Amino acid sequence: MAKKDVKLDMGVDESTVETQKNIEAQPAKKNKPAKSNSAKNSKTTGNNGQLNVFQRMAKGFREMISELKKVDWPSMKRTKNNPGVLANTGTVIFVVLFFLVIITAFDSGLLALLRLLVGIE
């Protein structure tokens, strides 16, 4: 069976499609391997090129801060005039405190049961 070229109008410009076809038709260029400083890499990485625990934690915090900088935060004026923000914040605080009490009670009960079983006074 012959392959039919079906074009669907999805808001894609035909020049973009042609450019994409040209890019796919070109042979892949071989990239030169990046030069790396092996002494530096051996100090910062552990076995098999893995970062140690503290480096992974630092990387995670850097990525978190980077993502938080990308957030479009509302202005304080806009937040003050919206009563839903305070209501939602109050709801979240109430739910967190509720589950804090529940989990603390459950934990205390299990601790009392463990002390009873082990015989610790």
PDB file of all heavy atoms in Angstrom, residues 20-48:
ATOM      1  N   GLN A  20      10.950  21.543   9.315  1.00  0.00           N
ATOM      2  CA  GLN A  20      11.132  20.346  10.139  1.00  0.00           C
ATOM      3  C   GLN A  20      11.553  19.164   9.275  1.00  0.00           C
ATOM      4  O   GLN A  20      12.412  18.386   9.654  1.00  0.00           O
ATOM      5  CB  GLN A  20       9.839  20.030  10.906  1.00  0.00           C
ATOM      6  CG  GLN A  20       9.964  18.859  11.855  1.00  0.00           C
ATOM      7  CD  GLN A  20      10.926  19.138  12.985  1.00  0.00           C
ATOM      8  OE1 GLN A  20      11.134  20.277  13.373  1.00  0.00           O
ATOM      9  NE2 GLN A  20      11.523  18.086  13.509  1.00  0.00           N
ATOM     10  N   LYS A  21      10.946  19.031   8.094  1.00  0.00           N
ATOM     11  CA  LYS A  21      11.324  17.932   7.195  1.00  0.00           C
ATOM     12  C   LYS A  21      12.763  18.085   6.743  1.00  0.00           C
ATOM     13  O   LYS A  21      13.502  17.108   6.638  1.00  0.00           O
ATOM     14  CB  LYS A  21      10.390  17.896   5.978  1.00  0.00           C
ATOM     15  CG  LYS A  21       9.010  17.374   6.300  1.00  0.00           C
ATOM     16  CD  LYS A  21       8.150  17.346   5.054  1.00  0.00           C
ATOM     17  CE  LYS A  21       6.738  16.885   5.359  1.00  0.00           C
ATOM     18  NZ  LYS A  21       5.875  16.920   4.164  1.00  0.00           N
ATOM     19  N   ASN A  22      13.202  19.327   6.467  1.00  0.00           N
ATOM     20  CA  ASN A  22      14.581  19.568   6.052  1.00  0.00           C
ATOM     21  C   ASN A  22      15.556  19.223   7.175  1.00  0.00           C
ATOM     22  O   ASN A  22      16.624  18.672   6.934  1.00  0.00           O
ATOM     23  CB  ASN A  22      14.772  21.027   5.629  1.00  0.00           C
ATOM     24  CG  ASN A  22      14.049  21.337   4.327  1.00  0.00           C
ATOM     25  OD1 ASN A  22      13.721  20.433   3.557  1.00  0.00           O
ATOM     26  ND2 ASN A  22      13.777  22.598   4.096  1.00  0.00           N
ATOM     27  N   ILE A  23      15.186  19.551   8.381  1.00  0.00           N
ATOM     28  CA  ILE A  23      16.055  19.246   9.518  1.00  0.00           C
ATOM     29  C   ILE A  23      16.179  17.740   9.701  1.00  0.00           C
ATOM     30  O   ILE A  23      17.263  17.212   9.935  1.00  0.00           O
ATOM     31  CB  ILE A  23      15.509  19.900  10.806  1.00  0.00           C
ATOM     32  CG1 ILE A  23      15.661  21.412  10.719  1.00  0.00           C
ATOM     33  CG2 ILE A  23      16.207  19.362  12.043  1.00  0.00           C
ATOM     34  CD1 ILE A  23      14.991  22.172  11.847  1.00  0.00           C
ATOM     35  N   GLU A  24      15.061  17.021   9.555  1.00  0.00           N
ATOM     36  CA  GLU A  24      15.086  15.570   9.708  1.00  0.00           C
ATOM     37  C   GLU A  24      15.861  14.896   8.583  1.00  0.00           C
ATOM     38  O   GLU A  24      16.453  13.842   8.776  1.00  0.00           O
ATOM     39  CB  GLU A  24      13.658  15.033   9.748  1.00  0.00           C
ATOM     40  CG  GLU A  24      12.911  15.404  11.004  1.00  0.00           C
ATOM     41  CD  GLU A  24      11.449  15.022  10.949  1.00  0.00           C
ATOM     42  OE1 GLU A  24      10.988  14.528   9.896  1.00  0.00           O
ATOM     43  OE2 GLU A  24      10.758  15.225  11.960  1.00  0.00           O
ATOM     44  N   ALA A  25      15.882  15.522   7.398  1.00  0.00           N
ATOM     45  CA  ALA A  25      16.550  14.920   6.259  1.00  0.00           C
ATOM     46  C   ALA A  25      18.063  15.080   6.335  1.00  0.00           C
ATOM     47  O   ALA A  25      18.801  14.312   5.734  1.00  0.00           O
ATOM     48  CB  ALA A  25      16.027  15.533   4.959  1.00  0.00           C
ATOM     49  N   GLN A  26      18.549  16.102   7.072  1.00  0.00           N
ATOM     50  CA  GLN A  26      19.987  16.330   7.157  1.00  0.00           C
ATOM     51  C   GLN A  26      20.638  15.260   8.022  1.00  0.00           C
ATOM     52  O   GLN A  26      20.064  14.814   9.019  1.00  0.00           O
ATOM     53  CB  GLN A  26      20.263  17.705   7.778  1.00  0.00           C
ATOM     54  CG  GLN A  26      19.829  18.853   6.902  1.00  0.00           C
ATOM     55  CD  GLN A  26      20.039  20.193   7.594  1.00  0.00           C
ATOM     56  OE1 GLN A  26      20.428  20.236   8.741  1.00  0.00           O
ATOM     57  NE2 GLN A  26      19.793  21.257   6.862  1.00  0.00           N
ATOM     58  N   PRO A  27      21.834  14.834   7.625  1.00  0.00           N
ATOM     59  CA  PRO A  27      22.525  13.840   8.462  1.00  0.00           C
ATOM     60  C   PRO A  27      22.923  14.465   9.790  1.00  0.00           C
ATOM     61  O   PRO A  27      23.211  15.651   9.879  1.00  0.00           O
ATOM     62  CB  PRO A  27      23.758  13.462   7.631  1.00  0.00           C
ATOM     63  CG  PRO A  27      23.977  14.614   6.712  1.00  0.00           C
ATOM     64  CD  PRO A  27      22.622  15.207   6.454  1.00  0.00           C
ATOM     65  N   ALA A  28      22.918  13.656  10.817  1.00  0.00           N
ATOM     66  CA  ALA A  28      23.256  14.147  12.151  1.00  0.00           C
ATOM     67  C   ALA A  28      24.733  14.475  12.215  1.00  0.00           C
ATOM     68  O   ALA A  28      25.589  13.730  11.742  1.00  0.00           O
ATOM     69  CB  ALA A  28      22.908  13.092  13.193  1.00  0.00           C
ATOM     70  N   LYS A  29      25.034  15.625  12.800  1.00  0.00           N
ATOM     71  CA  LYS A  29      26.422  16.037  12.965  1.00  0.00           C
ATOM     72  C   LYS A  29      26.968  15.396  14.225  1.00  0.00           C
ATOM     73  O   LYS A  29      26.284  15.299  15.237  1.00  0.00           O
ATOM     74  CB  LYS A  29      26.521  17.558  13.086  1.00  0.00           C
ATOM     75  CG  LYS A  29      26.105  18.290  11.838  1.00  0.00           C
ATOM     76  CD  LYS A  29      26.209  19.773  12.040  1.00  0.00           C
ATOM     77  CE  LYS A  29      25.748  20.521  10.803  1.00  0.00           C
ATOM     78  NZ  LYS A  29      25.786  21.979  10.997  1.00  0.00           N
ATOM     79  N   LYS A  30      28.201  14.982  14.135  1.00  0.00           N
ATOM     80  CA  LYS A  30      28.833  14.392  15.305  1.00  0.00           C
ATOM     81  C   LYS A  30      29.394  15.520  16.159  1.00  0.00           C
ATOM     82  O   LYS A  30      30.175  16.337  15.689  1.00  0.00           O
ATOM     83  CB  LYS A  30      29.941  13.437  14.901  1.00  0.00           C
ATOM     84  CG  LYS A  30      29.429  12.208  14.196  1.00  0.00           C
ATOM     85  CD  LYS A  30      30.546  11.250  13.888  1.00  0.00           C
ATOM     86  CE  LYS A  30      30.014  10.010  13.200  1.00  0.00           C
ATOM     87  NZ  LYS A  30      31.081   9.080  12.855  1.00  0.00           N
ATOM     88  N   ASN A  31      28.961  15.555  17.394  1.00  0.00           N
ATOM     89  CA  ASN A  31      29.458  16.563  18.320  1.00  0.00           C
ATOM     90  C   ASN A  31      30.765  16.098  18.917  1.00  0.00           C
ATOM     91  O   ASN A  31      30.945  14.927  19.226  1.00  0.00           O
ATOM     92  CB  ASN A  31      28.453  16.818  19.448  1.00  0.00           C
ATOM     93  CG  ASN A  31      27.189  17.456  18.931  1.00  0.00           C
ATOM     94  OD1 ASN A  31      27.219  18.139  17.921  1.00  0.00           O
ATOM     95  ND2 ASN A  31      26.096  17.224  19.624  1.00  0.00           N
ATOM     96  N   LYS A  32      31.663  17.058  19.089  1.00  0.00           N
ATOM     97  CA  LYS A  32      32.918  16.731  19.742  1.00  0.00           C
ATOM     98  C   LYS A  32      32.654  16.561  21.222  1.00  0.00           C
ATOM     99  O   LYS A  32      31.855  17.297  21.797  1.00  0.00           O
ATOM    100  CB  LYS A  32      33.929  17.862  19.526  1.00  0.00           C
ATOM    101  CG  LYS A  32      34.348  18.028  18.091  1.00  0.00           C
ATOM    102  CD  LYS A  32      35.349  19.143  17.954  1.00  0.00           C
ATOM    103  CE  LYS A  32      35.758  19.339  16.510  1.00  0.00           C
ATOM    104  NZ  LYS A  32      36.684  20.460  16.355  1.00  0.00           N
ATOM    105  N   PRO A  33      33.286  15.607  21.845  1.00  0.00           N
ATOM    106  CA  PRO A  33      33.075  15.446  23.280  1.00  0.00           C
ATOM    107  C   PRO A  33      33.597  16.666  24.022  1.00  0.00           C
ATOM    108  O   PRO A  33      34.629  17.235  23.676  1.00  0.00           O
ATOM    109  CB  PRO A  33      33.863  14.186  23.641  1.00  0.00           C
ATOM    110  CG  PRO A  33      34.832  13.999  22.528  1.00  0.00           C
ATOM    111  CD  PRO A  33      34.220  14.626  21.313  1.00  0.00           C
ATOM    112  N   ALA A  34      32.851  17.073  25.036  1.00  0.00           N
ATOM    113  CA  ALA A  34      33.236  18.244  25.806  1.00  0.00           C
ATOM    114  C   ALA A  34      34.465  17.914  26.637  1.00  0.00           C
ATOM    115  O   ALA A  34      34.601  16.821  27.188  1.00  0.00           O
ATOM    116  CB  ALA A  34      32.088  18.674  26.705  1.00  0.00           C
ATOM    117  N   LYS A  35      35.355  18.906  26.709  1.00  0.00           N
ATOM    118  CA  LYS A  35      36.535  18.714  27.530  1.00  0.00           C
ATOM    119  C   LYS A  35      36.139  18.855  28.983  1.00  0.00           C
ATOM    120  O   LYS A  35      35.407  19.757  29.358  1.00  0.00           O
ATOM    121  CB  LYS A  35      37.591  19.763  27.190  1.00  0.00           C
ATOM    122  CG  LYS A  35      38.148  19.621  25.794  1.00  0.00           C
ATOM    123  CD  LYS A  35      39.183  20.676  25.519  1.00  0.00           C
ATOM    124  CE  LYS A  35      39.739  20.541  24.118  1.00  0.00           C
ATOM    125  NZ  LYS A  35      40.722  21.585  23.814  1.00  0.00           N
ATOM    126  N   SER A  36      36.601  17.937  29.787  1.00  0.00           N
ATOM    127  CA  SER A  36      36.266  18.009  31.203  1.00  0.00           C
ATOM    128  C   SER A  36      37.538  17.928  32.017  1.00  0.00           C
ATOM    129  O   SER A  36      38.511  17.282  31.635  1.00  0.00           O
ATOM    130  CB  SER A  36      35.317  16.885  31.598  1.00  0.00           C
ATOM    131  OG  SER A  36      35.966  15.644  31.421  1.00  0.00           O
ATOM    132  N   ASN A  37      37.520  18.574  33.120  1.00  0.00           N
ATOM    133  CA  ASN A  37      38.637  18.563  34.033  1.00  0.00           C
ATOM    134  C   ASN A  37      38.460  17.377  34.971  1.00  0.00           C
ATOM    135  O   ASN A  37      37.631  17.406  35.866  1.00  0.00           O
ATOM    136  CB  ASN A  37      38.681  19.891  34.807  1.00  0.00           C
ATOM    137  CG  ASN A  37      39.942  20.009  35.649  1.00  0.00           C
ATOM    138  OD1 ASN A  37      40.729  19.066  35.739  1.00  0.00           O
ATOM    139  ND2 ASN A  37      40.131  21.168  36.251  1.00  0.00           N
ATOM    140  N   SER A  38      39.203  16.320  34.749  1.00  0.00           N
ATOM    141  CA  SER A  38      39.000  15.089  35.510  1.00  0.00           C
ATOM    142  C   SER A  38      39.328  15.283  36.988  1.00  0.00           C
ATOM    143  O   SER A  38      38.715  14.660  37.840  1.00  0.00           O
ATOM    144  CB  SER A  38      39.833  13.952  34.932  1.00  0.00           C
ATOM    145  OG  SER A  38      41.211  14.281  34.994  1.00  0.00           O
ATOM    146  N   ALA A  39      40.269  16.161  37.310  1.00  0.00           N
ATOM    147  CA  ALA A  39      40.599  16.391  38.712  1.00  0.00           C
ATOM    148  C   ALA A  39      39.421  17.049  39.423  1.00  0.00           C
ATOM    149  O   ALA A  39      39.084  16.709  40.552  1.00  0.00           O
ATOM    150  CB  ALA A  39      41.844  17.261  38.822  1.00  0.00           C
ATOM    151  N   LYS A  40      38.784  18.008  38.770  1.00  0.00           N
ATOM    152  CA  LYS A  40      37.634  18.684  39.363  1.00  0.00           C
ATOM    153  C   LYS A  40      36.480  17.705  39.533  1.00  0.00           C
ATOM    154  O   LYS A  40      35.809  17.682  40.560  1.00  0.00           O
ATOM    155  CB  LYS A  40      37.206  19.855  38.488  1.00  0.00           C
ATOM    156  CG  LYS A  40      36.048  20.623  39.044  1.00  0.00           C
ATOM    157  CD  LYS A  40      35.670  21.763  38.113  1.00  0.00           C
ATOM    158  CE  LYS A  40      34.436  22.486  38.635  1.00  0.00           C
ATOM    159  NZ  LYS A  40      33.980  23.522  37.727  1.00  0.00           N
ATOM    160  N   ASN A  41      36.223  16.889  38.508  1.00  0.00           N
ATOM    161  CA  ASN A  41      35.122  15.936  38.567  1.00  0.00           C
ATOM    162  C   ASN A  41      35.344  14.884  39.632  1.00  0.00           C
ATOM    163  O   ASN A  41      34.404  14.422  40.253  1.00  0.00           O
ATOM    164  CB  ASN A  41      34.906  15.266  37.210  1.00  0.00           C
ATOM    165  CG  ASN A  41      34.288  16.215  36.208  1.00  0.00           C
ATOM    166  OD1 ASN A  41      33.720  17.238  36.587  1.00  0.00           O
ATOM    167  ND2 ASN A  41      34.400  15.879  34.946  1.00  0.00           N
ATOM    168  N   SER A  42      36.574  14.470  39.849  1.00  0.00           N
ATOM    169  CA  SER A  42      36.828  13.441  40.846  1.00  0.00           C
ATOM    170  C   SER A  42      36.604  13.974  42.256  1.00  0.00           C
ATOM    171  O   SER A  42      36.250  13.231  43.152  1.00  0.00           O
ATOM    172  CB  SER A  42      38.248  12.900  40.715  1.00  0.00           C
ATOM    173  OG  SER A  42      39.188  13.918  41.013  1.00  0.00           O
ATOM    174  N   LYS A  43      36.794  15.291  42.456  1.00  0.00           N
ATOM    175  CA  LYS A  43      36.560  15.864  43.772  1.00  0.00           C
ATOM    176  C   LYS A  43      35.074  16.049  44.045  1.00  0.00           C
ATOM    177  O   LYS A  43      34.624  15.894  45.164  1.00  0.00           O
ATOM    178  CB  LYS A  43      37.261  17.218  43.903  1.00  0.00           C
ATOM    179  CG  LYS A  43      38.753  17.118  43.978  1.00  0.00           C
ATOM    180  CD  LYS A  43      39.373  18.488  44.106  1.00  0.00           C
ATOM    181  CE  LYS A  43      40.891  18.411  44.099  1.00  0.00           C
ATOM    182  NZ  LYS A  43      41.504  19.734  44.140  1.00  0.00           N
ATOM    183  N   THR A  44      34.305  16.420  43.029  1.00  0.00           N
ATOM    184  CA  THR A  44      32.896  16.742  43.250  1.00  0.00           C
ATOM    185  C   THR A  44      31.980  15.544  43.107  1.00  0.00           C
ATOM    186  O   THR A  44      30.843  15.609  43.516  1.00  0.00           O
ATOM    187  CB  THR A  44      32.423  17.830  42.272  1.00  0.00           C
ATOM    188  OG1 THR A  44      32.606  17.358  40.937  1.00  0.00           O
ATOM    189  CG2 THR A  44      33.180  19.117  42.483  1.00  0.00           C
ATOM    190  N   THR A  45      32.446  14.488  42.514  1.00  0.00           N
ATOM    191  CA  THR A  45      31.589  13.332  42.331  1.00  0.00           C
ATOM    192  C   THR A  45      32.186  12.134  43.028  1.00  0.00           C
ATOM    193  O   THR A  45      33.383  12.039  43.230  1.00  0.00           O
ATOM    194  CB  THR A  45      31.403  13.010  40.835  1.00  0.00           C
ATOM    195  OG1 THR A  45      32.683  12.772  40.252  1.00  0.00           O
ATOM    196  CG2 THR A  45      30.710  14.137  40.121  1.00  0.00           C
ATOM    197  N   GLY A  46      31.314  11.211  43.371  1.00  0.00           N
ATOM    198  CA  GLY A  46      31.749   9.991  44.045  1.00  0.00           C
ATOM    199  C   GLY A  46      31.912   8.878  43.039  1.00  0.00           C
ATOM    200  O   GLY A  46      32.347   9.082  41.909  1.00  0.00           O
ATOM    201  N   ASN A  47      31.518   7.705  43.435  1.00  0.00           N
ATOM    202  CA  ASN A  47      31.619   6.535  42.565  1.00  0.00           C
ATOM    203  C   ASN A  47      30.698   6.680  41.370  1.00  0.00           C
ATOM    204  O   ASN A  47      29.564   7.129  41.491  1.00  0.00           O
ATOM    205  CB  ASN A  47      31.266   5.273  43.349  1.00  0.00           C
ATOM    206  CG  ASN A  47      32.256   5.022  44.468  1.00  0.00           C
ATOM    207  OD1 ASN A  47      33.372   5.524  44.427  1.00  0.00           O
ATOM    208  ND2 ASN A  47      31.842   4.273  45.463  1.00  0.00           N
ATOM    209  N   ASN A  48      31.175   6.291  40.234  1.00  0.00           N
ATOM    210  CA  ASN A  48      30.394   6.291  38.996  1.00  0.00           C
ATOM    211  C   ASN A  48      29.859   7.675  38.641  1.00  0.00           C
ATOM    212  O   ASN A  48      28.816   7.801  38.035  1.00  0.00           O
ATOM    213  CB  ASN A  48      29.229   5.297  39.070  1.00  0.00           C
ATOM    214  CG  ASN A  48      29.710   3.893  39.291  1.00  0.00           C
ATOM    215  OD1 ASN A  48      30.810   3.529  38.846  1.00  0.00           O
ATOM    216  ND2 ASN A  48      28.930   3.097  39.983  1.00  0.00           N
TER     217      ASN A  48
END
